[in-house]
Amino acid sequence: QVHPVESWGGLVQAGGSLRLSCVASGIIFVIVYVDWYRQAPEKQRELVATITSGGTITYADSVKGRFTISRDNAKNTVFLQMNSLKAEDTAVYYCNVRKWPLNYWGQGTQVTVSS
């Protein structure tokens, strides 16, 4: 079974930075796509960033220029570097590891940005 595990969320002041990680064992990591999603209270889950197996990256408009997704296949890990954080970035952040037709969700990590 594949169980992605997100880490390194926390409480940070507005303007600060956090670097989330998503580790997924039990899968050939080099061939998977990985997405970061977030869900704020009473809001729908939102796609934040995606990195493909080939390294193609896309971002939501709301985080472009502030967030950076990257991957280290040797460590089965994807990172989300979040800079210039805003109060509206407060959410639970989830990673989704996928290789069609399968996808695997982590349990999420809370990010709280105080203004």
Side-chain angles (χ1 to χ4, degrees), residues 9-27:
L11 173 64
V12 64
Q13 289 187 333
S17 299
L18 285 172
R19 189 190 195 205
L20 307 182
S21 66
C22 170
V23 180
S25 57
I27 194 167

Side-chain angles (χ1 to χ4, degrees), residues 7 22 59 95 105 108 111:
S7 300
C22 170
Y59 296 102
C95 70
W105 289 91
V111 171

Side-chain angles (χ1 to χ4, degrees), residues 16-101:
S17 299
L18 285 172
R19 189 190 195 205
L20 307 182
S21 66
C22 170
V23 180
S25 57
I27 194 167
I28 303 173
F29 196 77
V30 69
I31 66 172
V32 302
Y33 286 33
V34 180
D35 311 297
W36 281 100
Y37 283 79
R38 66 186 181 187
Q39 189 165 20
E42 301 181 355
K43 292 190 176 180
Q44 288 190 331
R45 193 168 292 193
E46 170 191 23
L47 178 61
V48 173
T50 296
I51 186 165
T52 70
S53 55
T56 299
I57 290 170
T58 55
Y59 296 102
D61 287 342
S62 58
V63 306
K64 279 181 182 176
R66 300 188 299 122
F67 289 12
T68 303
I69 189 171
S70 61
R71 65 191 295 159
D72 183 342
N73 291 330
K75 297 181 178 179
N76 283 25
T77 302
V78 167
F79 302 98
L80 186 68
Q81 177 69 44
M82 306 187 296
N83 298 329
S84 302
L85 283 162
K86 306 174 182 180
E88 51 263 44
D89 295 318
T90 295
V92 178
Y93 284 71
Y94 299 89
C95 70
N96 179 38
V97 175
R98 57 186 169 95
K99 175 62 179 174
W100 191 89

